Amino acid sequence: MDDSQGFGRFLADRRKQHELTMRQFADMIGVTAPYLSDIEKGRRAAPDSKLDAIADVLHLSVADRERMFDLAARTRENQVSADLSGYIMDTDLARVALRRAKERDLSEQQWKDIIEIIEGGDPN
């Protein structure tokens, strides 16, 4: 599955779980039904300006919201998830930390340890 199909499939699956027609959902998020159809079929990139509305209408959990943002970013080359890009660009140390992590090619466990520290726990 290519990345654009990933977002489109995710969106279509969640829309159908809420028993919304394409037209109903399109109206709720402020796009046309043909435009939504193109997104769901992977013919158009995810509409970053509509992601918050999509998450709200579909009552996405935090995990699903984050997954949706990541899938949406993958519909465009070299794009960071819309919910992170502003923070990363506005926070100098976030960029420094990410660059250092990239340089050192952190392992999955090291990232888990970092997340544990951020969430206030002790990784050891």
Side-chain angles (χ1 to χ4, degrees):
M1 160 173 65
D2 71 46
D3 291 330
S4 62
Q5 281 293 313
F7 177 78
R9 188 167 297 133
F10 175 89
L11 193 60
D13 288 348
R14 295 310 185 283
R15 175 181 60 78
K16 290 171 186 174
Q17 286 174 0
H18 283 80
E19 299 179 356
L20 293 169
T21 66
M22 196 170 291
R23 184 170 309 280
Q24 289 170 325
F25 185 53
D27 288 344
M28 294 171 88
I29 64 170
V31 299
T32 66
Y35 179 76
L36 178 60
S37 176
D38 283 349
I39 292 167
E40 288 187 358
K41 292 177 180 171
R43 294 191 294 239
R44 286 185 182 257
D48 287 345
S49 65
K50 300 293 182 182
L51 295 178
D52 285 325
I54 290 168
D56 291 343
V57 168
L58 297 178
H59 308 288
L60 296 181
S61 67
V62 171
D64 276 347
R65 183 184 205 98
E66 290 172 355
R67 181 168 178 235
M68 179 193 67
F69 273 98
D70 291 344
L71 288 169
R74 290 183 181 118
T75 65
R76 292 184 175 86
E77 192 173 328
N78 294 321
Q79 184 170 330
V80 174
S81 297
D83 64 329
L84 297 175
S85 61
Y87 178 78
I88 291 168
M89 294 313 298
D90 292 343
T91 310
D92 292 340
L93 290 177
R95 290 192 311 279
V96 170
L98 288 170
R99 286 186 175 115
R100 295 302 177 273
K102 179 183 174 208
E103 289 166 4
R104 287 163 180 74
D105 194 22
L106 294 188
S107 69
E108 188 79 11
Q109 185 57 53
Q110 288 171 309
W111 276 112
K112 287 178 183 178
D113 292 346
I114 290 168
I115 291 167
E116 191 71 26
I117 292 167
I118 291 169
E119 291 177 344
D122 182 1
N124 296 319

